[in-house]
Amino acid sequence: MKNPHEIQEQLFFDLIQKGKNTEWGKKFGYNSIKSAEAFKKSVPVSPYESLFPYIDRMMQGEQNILWPSKISWFSKSSGTTNAKSKFIPVSKEALYHCHYKGGKDLLCLFFNNNPDSKLFNGKNLAIGGSYYKNPKWKDSFYGDVSAVIMANLPMWAQYSRTPDLTIALMDEWEQKIEKMAKATLNENVTCISGVPTWTIVLLNRILELTGKKNMLEVWPNFEVFYHGAVAFSPYKEIFKNFFPAPNVDYMETFTASEGFFGIQDQKGSDELLLMLDYGIYYEFIDIDHQDDEFPKSYSLHEVELGKSYAMVISTNAGLWRYKIGDTVKFTSLAPYRIRITGRTKHFINAFGEELMVENAETAVSKAGIKTSSIVSNFTAAPVFFEGNKNGRHEWVIEFSQSPKDLHQFSQILDEELKVVNSDYEAKRYKDIALQQPIIHSVPQGTFYKWMKQRGKLGGQNKVPRLSNSREFVEDILKNLNL
C-alpha cells in the first residue's frame, strides 16, 4: 500500500531474471530486456491459446519451458476455445508466494477490521474441488485451483480446517455434499471459504439434516464467509437468511487459476485492494485494443480512475503477458483499489460455470444439427437461487426453422454444453447446483424488433449472447408478455 510502484518494478526485474534461461525467455531475449517498456515491445500479449503448446509440453513432463522451477501441478478451469478445459501451471513459488500469501493476508485484514474476533477458536469450512493424476505424465496432477491449494496445505493450516481432505477433495459431488454436511454439522465452524453456489447447496442440506431454521442455530459462533469466483450480489439475501445476524461478515476475494489478485480490505465497501507483492506483474489495456498482439498497455503508475481495463499479468508460474479475460476499474489510486467490471467476452458465471460465448454457440449449433432446426438468434441469462430452488439458465431462442420437439432440443443443448464446458458439467451433475435450462422459443423477428427498440440496429451492434445479469432476457420476455 505504501510503495506500490517500487514493489512492482522490483518484482518485474525479479521475474525477468528468473525467466531469462527458460525456453520462452531465450526466444524473446529476456537477457537484453532492461525495462518494462522493452518487455512490452518484445513480448506479445498472449491469450491461453497462444501458450497452450508450451503448457501441453509441460504437462508431458518437459521442464524449463515457461518457468525455471519444476512444474508438477496444473490448475484446471474452463473458458478456452480450443479445448473443454484449460490447464494453468502452478509453480511452488505461485503456490507459496501468491495463493498462500493471499490467504494469510485475507486473515490479517479480517482481524485488522475485527480485533475482537475469536475466529481461531473454531474451524474454517473449505469447499474445495477435486484433483487427479495427469495421464500425460505420471508424476504430476491437475485439478480445480482450490483442490491444488488444499492438497498442498502445510500441517498447521490442515489442523484449522474441516472436513477431512478425503471428503473435501472427493470428485463425486452428490456424495461429497452429503458427507461434508454430516462431517461438519457438529463442528464449531467460525468461517467458510468457497464459491457461493456450492456453499448454498451444502447449507441447505445441513438445515435439512438438523431441522434448524438457520445456520446460526447450527454454528452459533460463525463470523465470516470468504467468497469469490462469481458476483455475490444475487446471493446476499440468501446468506442473510442463512446467517441472520448483523455481525456476520462477508469478504470478497479476486482469485483465479492464474493467481490471487485482490482482497476486500474495508468494511462496508465492495472495492478490492490490488495485491502487488504476490509475484504478479500487472499491465492494463484499453478494452477497445485488447485483441491487438502488441497493444498499448499501462503499468500501474499510468492507470486512471474510473476507466475499465483488460488485465494482463506476468507471473511466478511462467504466464508471460497473459490476458486473463477479466476487466477492472480503479476506484482508488492511493492505495490501488479496483472493482471487477466483467469479462473481455460475454459470459455467464453466476454459479462458477464460466460459460463463454464460444461454448454456447458450439452447443447451439450441434443441438440444431441433431434436431434438424436452425437458430437465427439467442440470448441467455442465469435464474438465481431462490429458497431451496437451485439455479438454472434461461434461454430466449429465435428459430428460422423450429425443432419438432423443443424439450428434446433443450435436452441436447444441455448435454452439448456439458461436453464443451467442464465447469458447467460439474454444476449440472444430478441437478445439485444447476437444473436443466429453460428455453423460450420466440417468433421470428423478435430480436430485430428488440434491437431496434434499443437503438442498436447496425453492423457494429450485436445481440448479447450471454449475460451475467437478467436485464436482456427480462426485457425481451416483457415485450412478449411471457
Side-chain angles (χ1 to χ4, degrees):
M1 293 173 76
K2 291 182 178 180
N3 304 291
H5 307 140
E6 294 85 350
I7 288 169
Q8 279 283 283
E9 184 180 26
Q10 183 59 53
L11 196 151
F12 167 75
F13 287 114
D14 286 347
L15 289 175
I16 294 297
Q17 183 67 23
K18 288 175 180 174
K20 68 180 182 181
N21 293 320
T22 63
E23 182 177 313
W24 180 275
K26 291 177 180 177
K27 177 180 178 180
F28 290 103
Y30 278 25
N31 252 328
S32 61
I33 291 176
K34 306 300 181 184
S35 69
E37 287 307 312
F39 177 63
K40 294 174 184 180
K41 291 177 182 176
S42 303
V43 182
V45 170
S46 297
Y48 178 79
E49 289 76 14
S50 299
L51 292 181
F52 171 75
Y54 298 92
I55 294 173
D56 192 51
R57 287 168 56 198
M58 294 162 71
M59 291 193 74
Q60 296 179 53
E62 291 190 54
Q63 298 293 338
N64 204 36
I65 304 296
L66 294 173
W67 189 250
S69 63
K70 183 179 179 181
I71 306 287
S72 56
W73 282 88
F74 299 86
S75 176
K76 172 176 169 284
S77 68
S78 65
T80 174
T81 56
N82 68 333
K84 181 175 178 176
S85 302
K86 62 182 179 183
F87 297 89
I88 302 298
V90 182
S91 66
K92 185 176 180 181
E93 293 90 338
L95 200 58
Y96 283 90
H97 303 308
C98 181
H99 291 290
Y100 290 166
K101 192 171 184 178
K104 293 173 185 176
D105 283 349
L106 180 66
L107 287 170
C108 289
L109 288 166
F110 174 76
F111 279 105
N112 186 62
N113 290 329
N114 301 274
D116 297 326
S117 169
K118 295 180 173 56
L119 199 70
F120 287 145
N121 287 355
K123 292 193 173 182
N124 170 40
L125 193 160
I127 303 175
S130 50
Y131 73 92
Y132 312 88
K133 271 191 171 290
N134 175 13
K136 296 182 178 181
W137 175 34
K138 64 181 178 64
D139 293 328
S140 66
F141 304 86
Y142 69 86
D144 297 335
V145 66
S146 58
V148 174
I149 291 168
M150 289 168 65
N152 290 281
L153 281 174
M155 187 60 68
W156 67 265
Q158 297 286 14
Y159 177 77
S160 63
R161 54 163 306 282
T162 188
D164 185 89
L165 284 186
T166 57
I167 297 173
L169 299 178
M170 287 175 63
D171 59 359
E172 210 291 326
W173 276 93
E174 192 172 42
Q175 291 182 32
K176 178 175 182 166
I177 292 294
E178 189 69 17
K179 289 194 174 185
M180 284 190 78
K182 290 177 178 176
T184 60
L185 60 84
N186 291 316
E187 291 276 10
N188 179 26
V189 173
T190 52
C191 64
I192 298 174
S193 54
V195 178
T197 322
W198 289 121
T199 306
I200 289 172
V201 175
L202 175 64
L203 299 184
N204 276 328
R205 182 57 185 146
I206 291 174
L207 292 180
E208 287 175 5
L209 289 171
T210 60
K212 303 294 186 183
K213 292 180 181 178
N214 62 67
M215 289 307 303
L216 290 179
E217 293 182 5
V218 182
W219 301 324
N221 300 315
F222 187 83
E223 295 190 25
V224 60
F225 176 39
Y226 303 118
H227 59 88
V230 300
F232 189 60
S233 54
Y235 302 104
K236 279 183 180 177
E237 292 305 313
I238 296 175
F239 277 88
K240 285 181 181 178
N241 289 331
F242 281 132
F243 300 102
N247 60 333
V248 171
D249 272 339
Y250 301 92
M251 284 185 72
E252 183 176 0
T253 61
F254 182 11
T255 61
S257 297
E258 295 85 354
F260 198 126
F261 310 122
I263 300 173
Q264 181 182 337
D265 67 312
Q266 304 172 103
K267 276 195 167 188
S269 171
D270 61 356
E271 299 172 40
L272 301 171
L273 182 69
L274 189 63
M275 311 309 288
L276 303 175
D277 59 344
Y278 289 2
I280 299 171
Y281 178 72
Y282 293 98
E283 296 175 62
F284 302 91
I285 297 173
D286 286 328
I287 292 176
D288 293 340
H289 300 286
Q290 62 184 297
D291 293 326
D292 299 347
E293 189 177 23
F294 288 93
K296 167 65 178 172
S297 74
Y298 304 92
S299 296
L300 195 65
H301 67 277
E302 299 173 300
V303 299
E304 299 175 20
L305 282 176
K307 186 175 179 180
S308 277
Y309 297 97
M311 200 161 84
V312 171
I313 58 173
S314 297
T315 78
N316 52 6
L319 299 177
W320 300 104
R321 302 203 78 199
Y322 179 79
K323 187 165 60 176
I324 66 171
D326 288 290
T327 60
V328 300
K329 181 182 292 184
F330 283 88
T331 58
S332 167
L333 302 182
Y336 286 96
R337 291 194 179 97
I338 58 172
R339 283 196 184 98
I340 304 166
T341 55
R343 299 281 290 179
T344 54
K345 300 177 182 179
H346 289 297
F347 73 108
I348 300 178
N349 192 32
F351 310 99
E353 68 274 50
E354 294 190 61
L355 186 68
M356 310 303 289
V357 170
E358 52 264 35
N359 300 151
E361 290 180 338
T362 298
V364 165
S365 175
K366 290 185 177 180
I369 292 169
K370 291 183 178 181
T371 59
S372 301
S373 61
I374 300 173
V375 172
S376 58
N377 242 319
F378 72 86
T379 191
V383 178
F384 295 105
F385 283 85
E386 185 176 347
N388 290 326
K389 291 183 181 179
N390 289 352
R392 64 198 324 166
H393 291 172
E394 186 169 15
W395 294 68
V396 178
I397 301 179
E398 183 180 319
F399 294 93
S400 56
Q401 183 174 311
S402 298
K404 292 180 180 178
D405 186 338
L406 188 62
H407 180 67
Q408 181 193 29
F409 181 94
S410 174
Q411 288 181 316
I412 294 172
L413 175 63
D414 186 38
E415 291 303 317
E416 293 297 337
L417 289 170
K418 293 176 187 176
V419 169
V420 296
N421 185 302
S422 57
D423 286 326
Y424 179 86
E425 181 183 39
K427 303 302 181 295
R428 279 286 293 119
Y429 182 74
K430 293 189 178 181
D431 293 348
I432 294 175
L434 279 178
Q435 300 177 73
Q436 186 170 325
I438 302 169
I439 293 184
H440 302 282
S441 176
V442 298
Q444 291 185 31
T446 293
F447 279 90
Y448 176 87
K449 292 175 183 175
W450 179 64
M451 293 291 281
K452 183 178 181 180
Q453 177 186 310
R454 298 172 66 232
K456 295 289 186 180
L457 291 181
Q460 75 277 16
N461 295 307
K462 297 179 181 179
V463 171
R465 295 300 198 200
L466 305 177
S467 175
N468 223 26
S469 85
R470 291 187 49 77
E471 175 189 356
F472 303 133
V473 163
E474 289 185 354
D475 196 31
I476 295 170
L477 297 181
K478 180 182 176 183
N479 287 341
L480 293 169
N481 295 316
L482 291 178

